[in-house]
Amino acid sequence: MPATVLAAGSHPGFLSPSGIEIAFVLVGIATLGAALVTVTTRQLVHAALWLIVALGGLAVEYLLLTAEFIAWVQVLIYVGSVVVLLLFGLMLTRAPIGRSPDADSENRWAALAVAVAAAATLVWVVVDAFRTTWIELDGPAQGSTEVTGAFLFRNWVLPFEALSVLLLAALVGAIVLSRKGRERTTPAGPHREDKS
């Protein structure tokens, strides 16, 4: 009996967090702050750069959860591809570098209400889905390449491919919009007659 009490007392409780848990909370607060700046700034380029900080913070959170594969996928796909695609779209469409009055919407409260409702719904769905889920500690790690690859390419192949087509369509649309703007602003040169 004393050995059981000693073993129970040796585990840290909720009020004595470890260094990893403290780092997780601090990185989470920094990531949340970067996400809020992303959606509230009026400068499109600054929003894209703060999005890099927010997505990088998520990658650090995955590393703290010992899901290294997910963390590097987060860096390679989201930070390395999605944000670069967003920056290319901003450059190709010649978005304003400074403060843009178009980036300020008068529907802030409606957007805030939708965001809070979506967040509450997401939290409820995740909590309800994993309420009775047990993690098998003897099997492969949940964040390992084997488990993640099998889960991704068995259950989520169609959304994965749809996302790649969506990103390609966004890039093609940005190129088309930039070419239309260039054709309108290009001054007509002198008319040359063909003498042949």
Side-chain angles (χ1 to χ4, degrees):
M1 184 71 175
T4 307
V5 173
L6 182 62
S10 63
H11 294 290
F14 179 74
L15 296 177
S16 59
S18 64
I20 293 178
E21 292 170 343
I22 294 173
F24 186 87
V25 171
L26 293 178
V27 173
I29 292 172
T31 303
L32 178 61
L36 289 175
V37 174
T38 300
V39 298
T40 56
T41 185
R42 295 185 183 180
Q43 300 190 18
L44 296 177
V45 177
H46 288 183
L49 296 176
W50 279 108
L51 182 61
I52 294 175
V53 176
L55 295 175
L58 286 177
V60 174
E61 297 282 56
Y62 287 132
L63 281 177
L64 292 174
L65 292 172
T66 64
E68 292 85 1
F69 177 70
I70 304 292
W72 292 121
V73 167
Q74 173 82 13
V75 171
L76 291 175
I77 294 181
Y78 287 98
V79 178
S81 300
V82 174
V83 176
V84 170
L85 180 64
L86 179 62
L87 291 175
F88 268 109
L90 291 176
M91 289 187 294
L92 289 173
T93 55
R94 297 179 182 178
I97 300 297
R99 296 173 68 88
S100 176
D102 297 335
D104 187 20
S105 175
E106 296 183 1
N107 299 324
R108 290 182 184 176
W109 295 109
L112 181 62
V114 170
V116 169
T121 304
L122 181 62
V123 168
W124 180 78
V125 167
V126 170
V127 169
D128 186 61
F130 293 97
R131 187 188 309 267
T132 58
T133 301
W134 294 90
I135 298 176
E136 191 65 40
L137 297 178
D138 295 333
Q142 294 296 311
S144 66
T145 309
E146 179 185 356
V147 174
T148 305
F151 187 75
L152 179 65
F153 292 109
R154 282 181 189 163
N155 304 327
W156 298 98
V157 174
L158 185 60
F160 190 77
E161 294 300 325
L163 180 61
S164 63
V165 173
L166 178 65
L167 293 175
L168 178 62
L171 183 58
V172 171
I175 293 172
V176 169
L177 288 175
S178 67
R179 293 180 72 87
K180 283 184 179 179
R182 187 176 300 162
E183 289 173 0
R184 291 177 185 170
T185 58
T186 302
H191 181 67
R192 297 181 183 177
E193 294 182 357
D194 191 4
K195 297 181 180 179
S196 60

